[in-house]
Amino acid sequence: MDFREFDELAAHRTAARAWIDANVRREWAEEQHRSGTHQTPELHACLARDGILGAGWPTELGGSDVDPGFARAIFEELVRAEVLCEGWITTVMVINTINHLGTEEQKRAYIPPALRGEILIALGYSEPDSGSDAAAAKTAATRDGDGWLINGQKMFTSTAQLCSHVFVLARTNPEVPKHKGLTMFLVPTSADGYELQPIHTLGGQRTNATFYSDVRVPDSAQLGGVDEGWSVMHVALVYERAAPGTGAIEQTPTDAIAAWARETRRPDGRTVLDDPLVAERIGRMAVDAEVARVLSLRIRWLAEKGEMPGVEGSMWKMFATEAAQRHYSDILDILGAEGVLTPDAEGAPVAGRFEHGLRTSVVGTIYGGTSEIIREIIAERRLGLPKSRSSK
């Protein structure tokens, strides 16, 4: 691989920035930060209207003729503008999984409406008693005539308050090892017996607890085969790193703290960056940021070759999120007392980005699988080490 910097989207940058200027309002980023909801319906409608959601998809499934490079450039510019599309990221994961494993009927039922902006899908994996150990799910799905009844509870169902469906991992066979008795269902949030309650995280994001009390779904809502949910979920996780806006830009604080240290002077007149210990710390952050960038490039390279990245996504996720924790901890050491000023505090360095970033980095090692679970995945699937826990 050639790791030199090359902007393959350079031809689309000007047009993408013009689209952002014409369609994105500055207050959307502020509202996402204030509410903790990282999905803006008005923006999503614009993306659907202009065919950006459908870029790269076949026309028979509702795809548009928009250049996928232009669409990717727009999502990168949205990240730079701090306007996030997390509900669309999870939706792309699921509709790619449907396209890979679903029936023709399911593809027609879910993919075209999603590309038109009519469907958003949240992820229903984690539970209160099992967290990142998704295979320990207790939410149960039992046969009921030509359909299923779902009963249980899910945690951290982010953007569910705006979604039309939740992709629910449910136990359909309690008599077999836990990984083998699970099935995936697409549950409408309009169904009787479905409820949600908001949860606000340390990082300021709103997520949800979702509840299922005799929620009835038809057999057509089941994806990938009964008791095959573990394999289905693995396909979805592979697509997680390829979703637009995911890994597009390595969001690190290195450039921001370097600029602050270069411009800020100590009482003796020297800049903060003149301190060799500060310079070393920032240098280490830059090295970490480059490692994370190269790991994400490997994922993209595999996807462009037509392969399905597996453990590579776990490697990137663990390194990038743990590095972010180290970086923000170092930054608060560098800033001293000013480092704990919140974004709404007068005089907060870089508008309080560093204090908020530290809180966000803590939950970053939990979302999408805790670092402990990710380490087990890497150990077992890449290093060939034995399982550390029983599958019973």
Side-chain angles (χ1 to χ4, degrees):
M1 290 182 66
D2 183 354
F3 296 123
R4 289 174 297 179
E5 290 283 358
F6 173 71
D7 186 1
E8 60 185 330
L9 302 180
H12 300 291
R13 293 289 178 205
T14 300
R17 288 167 183 162
W19 191 94
I20 297 291
D21 290 341
N23 292 281
V24 176
R25 298 204 297 269
R26 180 177 299 178
E27 58 265 29
W28 288 348
E30 297 170 357
E31 173 59 22
Q32 287 193 0
H33 180 77
R34 185 194 62 77
S35 67
T37 297
H38 298 165
Q39 176 76 27
T40 299
E42 297 91 337
L43 171 61
H44 196 65
C46 292
L47 293 167
R49 177 199 67 203
D50 291 349
I52 295 164
L53 302 184
W57 284 86
T59 54
E60 61 269 21
L61 289 176
S64 70
D65 59 0
V66 171
D67 189 312
F70 174 64
R72 213 173 101 210
I74 285 178
F75 282 110
E76 289 197 2
E77 294 304 319
L78 286 171
V79 172
R80 285 195 177 95
E82 299 184 345
V83 180
L84 305 180
C85 303
E86 292 191 353
W88 179 238
I89 288 174
T90 55
T91 301
V92 169
M93 290 171 56
V94 178
I95 61 175
N96 270 302
T97 305
I98 293 170
N99 194 39
H100 189 80
L101 298 172
T103 64
E104 288 302 314
E105 178 187 1
Q106 288 172 327
K107 293 176 186 179
R108 301 287 177 186
Y110 295 105
I111 297 176
L115 301 182
R116 293 195 299 266
E118 299 166 3
I119 284 179
L120 279 176
I121 307 171
L123 304 181
Y125 299 163
S126 298
E127 296 191 3
D129 294 332
S130 50
S132 291
D133 185 11
K138 295 178 181 177
T139 294
T142 55
R143 271 289 186 188
D144 181 50
D146 60 351
W148 298 83
L149 286 178
I150 298 177
N151 287 277
Q153 178 181 351
K154 295 291 179 179
M155 290 289 286
F156 311 124
T157 318
S158 297
T159 68
Q161 70 273 23
L162 297 178
C163 287
S164 58
H165 295 74
V166 180
F167 198 40
V168 174
L169 182 69
R171 185 157 303 283
T172 44
N173 188 347
E175 304 301 323
V176 295
K178 64 182 184 179
H179 295 84
K180 298 183 180 297
L182 298 163
T183 304
M184 298 296 312
F185 295 90
L186 283 150
V187 178
T189 56
S190 59
D192 292 338
Y194 170 86
E195 297 181 18
L196 67 76
Q197 291 181 1
I199 298 172
H200 294 277
T201 70
L202 176 66
Q205 182 180 3
R206 174 190 165 158
T207 185
N208 303 281
T210 52
F211 304 87
Y212 308 82
S213 300
D214 282 337
V215 174
R216 193 178 195 283
V217 296
D219 203 41
S220 59
Q222 176 262 317
L223 178 67
V226 177
D227 294 346
E228 296 179 9
W230 192 246
S231 297
V232 175
M233 192 179 74
H234 273 287
V235 173
L237 290 173
V238 166
Y239 284 115
E240 180 177 10
R241 301 305 172 198
T246 302
I249 301 171
E250 302 310 326
Q251 288 288 83
T252 75
T254 309
D255 290 343
I257 187 60
W260 178 87
R262 203 176 288 118
E263 298 164 1
T264 304
R265 294 189 176 275
R266 302 292 195 196
D268 62 4
R270 296 190 308 156
T271 68
V272 175
L273 196 59
D274 288 333
D275 183 335
L277 294 179
V278 171
E280 180 185 357
R281 278 181 154 179
I282 294 176
R284 289 183 182 276
M285 292 179 204
V287 171
D288 284 349
E290 179 65 8
V291 171
R293 187 185 74 86
V294 171
L295 288 172
S296 70
L297 284 176
R298 178 168 176 77
I299 298 167
R300 185 181 300 171
W301 175 65
L302 289 170
E304 289 176 353
K305 286 173 54 182
E307 299 181 18
M308 289 185 64
V311 73
E312 289 81 8
S314 296
M315 293 161 62
W316 173 83
K317 193 268 183 188
M318 189 188 77
F319 183 87
T321 56
E322 293 198 347
Q325 280 197 18
R326 293 195 301 272
H327 295 175
Y328 282 110
S329 179
D330 282 348
I331 286 171
L332 261 64
D333 280 348
I334 293 169
L335 293 172
E338 289 185 338
V340 297
L341 292 176
T342 58
D344 56 353
E346 184 178 350
V350 195
R353 174 181 173 184
F354 299 127
E355 184 275 342
H356 179 259
L358 178 66
R359 288 187 282 115
T360 302
S361 72
V362 173
V363 293
T365 58
I366 299 172
Y367 292 152
T370 64
S371 290
E372 291 79 6
I373 295 294
I374 297 296
R375 279 188 169 84
E376 291 183 5
I377 291 172
I378 296 170
E380 293 169 12
R381 298 179 196 167
R382 176 51 57 88
L383 302 179
L385 298 176
K387 290 182 180 293
S388 60
R389 294 174 299 156
S390 169
S391 61
K392 295 291 186 180

Coordinates of all heavy atoms in Angstrom, one line a residue, residues 267-303:
P267 N 3.9 33.0 31.3 CA 4.3 34.3 31.9 C 5.7 34.7 31.5 O 6.0 35.9 31.4 CB 4.2 34.1 33.4 CG 3.1 33.0 33.5 CD 3.3 32.1 32.3
D268 N 6.6 33.8 31.2 CA 8.0 34.2 30.8 C 8.1 34.5 29.4 O 9.2 34.8 28.9 CB 8.9 33.1 31.2 CG 8.7 31.7 30.5 OD1 7.8 31.7 29.6 OD2 9.4 30.7 30.7
G269 N 7.0 34.5 28.6 CA 7.0 34.9 27.2 C 7.2 33.7 26.2 O 7.0 33.9 25.0
R270 N 7.6 32.6 26.7 CA 7.7 31.4 25.8 C 6.4 30.8 25.5 O 5.4 30.9 26.3 CB 8.6 30.4 26.5 CG 10.1 30.8 26.7 CD 10.9 29.6 27.1 NE 10.3 28.9 28.2 CZ 10.5 27.6 28.5 NH1 11.3 26.9 27.7 NH2 10.0 27.0 29.6
T271 N 6.2 30.3 24.3 CA 5.0 29.6 24.0 C 4.9 28.2 24.7 O 6.0 27.7 25.1 CB 4.9 29.3 22.5 OG1 5.8 28.3 22.1 CG2 5.1 30.6 21.7
V272 N 3.7 27.7 24.9 CA 3.6 26.4 25.5 C 4.3 25.4 24.8 O 4.9 24.4 25.3 CB 2.1 26.1 25.6 CG1 1.9 24.7 26.2 CG2 1.3 27.1 26.5
L273 N 4.3 25.5 23.4 CA 5.0 24.5 22.6 C 6.5 24.5 22.8 O 7.2 23.5 22.4 CB 4.6 24.7 21.1 CG 4.9 23.5 20.2 CD1 4.1 22.3 20.6 CD2 4.5 23.9 18.8
D274 N 7.1 25.6 23.3 CA 8.5 25.6 23.6 C 8.9 24.7 24.6 O 10.1 24.3 24.7 CB 8.9 27.1 24.0 CG 8.9 28.0 22.8 OD1 9.0 27.6 21.6 OD2 8.7 29.2 23.0
D275 N 8.0 24.2 25.5 CA 8.3 23.2 26.5 C 8.5 21.9 25.8 O 7.6 21.3 25.2 CB 7.1 23.2 27.5 CG 7.4 22.2 28.6 OD1 8.2 21.3 28.5 OD2 6.7 22.4 29.7
P276 N 9.7 21.3 25.9 CA 10.0 20.0 25.2 C 9.1 18.9 25.7 O 8.8 18.0 24.9 CB 11.5 19.8 25.6 CG 11.7 20.6 26.8 CD 10.9 21.8 26.7
L277 N 8.6 18.9 26.9 CA 7.7 17.8 27.4 C 6.4 17.9 26.7 O 5.7 16.9 26.3 CB 7.6 17.9 28.9 CG 8.8 17.6 29.7 CD1 8.6 17.7 31.2 CD2 9.4 16.2 29.4
V278 N 5.9 19.2 26.5 CA 4.6 19.4 25.8 C 4.8 19.0 24.3 O 3.9 18.3 23.8 CB 4.2 20.9 25.9 CG1 3.0 21.1 25.0 CG2 3.8 21.2 27.4
A279 N 5.9 19.4 23.7 CA 6.1 19.1 22.3 C 6.2 17.5 22.1 O 5.7 17.0 21.1 CB 7.4 19.7 21.9
E280 N 6.8 16.8 23.1 CA 6.9 15.4 23.0 C 5.5 14.8 23.0 O 5.2 13.8 22.3 CB 7.8 14.8 24.1 CG 7.9 13.3 24.0 CD 8.7 12.7 25.1 OE1 9.2 13.5 26.0 OE2 8.8 11.5 25.2
R281 N 4.7 15.3 24.0 CA 3.3 14.7 24.1 C 2.5 14.9 22.8 O 1.8 14.0 22.4 CB 2.6 15.3 25.3 CG 3.0 14.7 26.7 CD 2.2 15.4 27.8 NE 2.0 14.5 28.9 CZ 1.4 14.8 30.0 NH1 0.9 16.1 30.2 NH2 1.3 14.0 31.0
I282 N 2.6 16.1 22.3 CA 1.8 16.4 21.1 C 2.4 15.6 19.9 O 1.6 15.1 19.1 CB 1.8 17.9 20.8 CG1 1.1 18.7 21.9 CG2 1.2 18.2 19.4 CD1 1.1 20.2 21.7
G283 N 3.7 15.4 19.9 CA 4.3 14.5 18.8 C 3.8 13.1 18.9 O 3.5 12.5 17.9
R284 N 3.6 12.6 20.1 CA 3.1 11.2 20.3 C 1.6 11.1 19.8 O 1.2 10.1 19.3 CB 3.2 10.8 21.7 CG 4.7 10.5 22.2 CD 4.8 10.0 23.6 NE 6.1 9.8 24.0 CZ 6.8 8.7 23.7 NH1 6.3 7.7 23.0 NH2 8.1 8.5 24.1
M285 N 0.9 12.2 20.1 CA -0.5 12.2 19.6 C -0.5 12.2 18.1 O -1.4 11.4 17.5 CB -1.2 13.5 20.1 CG -1.4 13.6 21.6 SD -2.2 15.2 21.9 CE -1.7 15.4 23.7
A286 N 0.3 12.9 17.5 CA 0.4 12.9 16.0 C 0.7 11.5 15.4 O 0.2 11.1 14.4 CB 1.4 13.9 15.5
V287 N 1.6 10.8 16.1 CA 2.0 9.5 15.7 C 0.8 8.5 15.8 O 0.4 7.8 14.9 CB 3.2 8.9 16.5 CG1 3.4 7.4 16.2 CG2 4.4 9.7 16.2
D288 N 0.1 8.6 16.9 CA -1.2 7.8 17.1 C -2.2 8.1 16.1 O -2.9 7.2 15.5 CB -1.8 8.1 18.5 CG -1.0 7.4 19.6 OD1 -0.1 6.6 19.3 OD2 -1.3 7.7 20.8
A289 N -2.4 9.4 15.8 CA -3.4 9.8 14.8 C -3.0 9.2 13.4 O -3.9 8.8 12.7 CB -3.4 11.3 14.7
E290 N -1.7 9.2 13.1 CA -1.3 8.6 11.8 C -1.5 7.1 11.8 O -2.0 6.5 10.8 CB 0.1 8.9 11.5 CG 0.7 8.3 10.2 CD 0.0 8.9 9.0 OE1 -0.8 9.9 9.1 OE2 0.3 8.4 7.9
V291 N -1.3 6.4 12.9 CA -1.5 4.9 13.0 C -3.0 4.7 12.8 O -3.4 3.7 12.0 CB -1.0 4.4 14.3 CG1 -1.5 2.9 14.5 CG2 0.5 4.5 14.4
A292 N -3.9 5.4 13.4 CA -5.3 5.3 13.3 C -5.7 5.5 11.9 O -6.6 4.8 11.3 CB -6.1 6.2 14.2
R293 N -5.2 6.5 11.2 CA -5.5 6.8 9.8 C -5.1 5.6 8.9 O -5.9 5.2 8.0 CB -4.8 8.0 9.3 CG -5.2 8.5 8.0 CD -4.4 9.7 7.5 NE -3.0 9.3 7.1 CZ -2.7 8.9 5.9 NH1 -3.6 8.8 5.0 NH2 -1.4 8.5 5.7
V294 N -3.9 5.0 9.1 CA -3.5 3.9 8.3 C -4.4 2.7 8.5 O -4.7 2.0 7.6 CB -2.0 3.6 8.6 CG1 -1.6 2.3 7.9 CG2 -1.1 4.8 8.1
L295 N -4.8 2.4 9.8 CA -5.7 1.3 10.1 C -7.0 1.5 9.4 O -7.6 0.5 8.8 CB -5.9 1.2 11.6 CG -4.7 0.6 12.4 CD1 -4.9 0.8 13.9 CD2 -4.3 -0.8 12.0
S296 N -7.5 2.7 9.3 CA -8.8 3.0 8.6 C -8.6 2.8 7.1 O -9.5 2.4 6.4 CB -9.4 4.3 9.0 OG -8.6 5.4 8.5
L297 N -7.5 3.2 6.6 CA -7.2 3.1 5.2 C -7.2 1.6 4.8 O -7.6 1.2 3.7 CB -5.9 3.7 4.8 CG -5.8 5.2 4.7 CD1 -4.4 5.7 4.4 CD2 -6.8 5.8 3.7
R298 N -6.7 0.7 5.7 CA -6.7 -0.7 5.4 C -8.1 -1.2 5.2 O -8.4 -2.0 4.4 CB -5.9 -1.5 6.5 CG -5.9 -3.0 6.2 CD -5.0 -3.7 7.1 NE -5.0 -5.1 6.9 CZ -4.5 -5.8 5.9 NH1 -3.9 -5.2 5.0 NH2 -4.7 -7.1 5.8
I299 N -9.0 -0.8 6.1 CA -10.4 -1.2 6.0 C -11.0 -0.8 4.6 O -11.6 -1.6 3.9 CB -11.2 -0.6 7.1 CG1 -10.7 -1.0 8.5 CG2 -12.7 -0.9 7.0 CD1 -11.2 -0.3 9.7
R300 N -10.7 0.5 4.2 CA -11.3 1.0 3.0 C -10.6 0.2 1.8 O -11.3 -0.1 0.8 CB -11.0 2.5 2.8 CG -11.6 3.1 1.6 CD -11.2 4.6 1.5 NE -11.7 5.3 2.7 CZ -11.5 6.5 2.9 NH1 -10.6 7.2 2.1 NH2 -12.0 7.1 4.0
W301 N -9.3 -0.1 1.9 CA -8.7 -0.8 0.8 C -9.3 -2.2 0.6 O -9.5 -2.6 -0.5 CB -7.2 -0.9 1.2 CG -6.3 -1.8 0.3 CD1 -6.1 -1.5 -1.0 CD2 -5.6 -3.0 0.6 NE1 -5.3 -2.5 -1.6 CE2 -5.0 -3.4 -0.6 CE3 -5.5 -3.7 1.8 CZ2 -4.2 -4.6 -0.6 CZ3 -4.7 -4.9 1.8 CH2 -4.1 -5.3 0.6
L302 N -9.5 -2.9 1.7 CA -10.1 -4.2 1.7 C -11.5 -4.2 1.0 O -11.9 -5.0 0.2 CB -10.2 -4.9 3.0 CG -8.9 -5.3 3.6 CD1 -9.0 -5.7 5.1 CD2 -8.3 -6.5 2.9
A303 N -12.3 -3.1 1.5 CA -13.7 -3.0 0.9 C -13.6 -2.7 -0.6 O -14.4 -3.2 -1.3 CB -14.4 -1.9 1.7

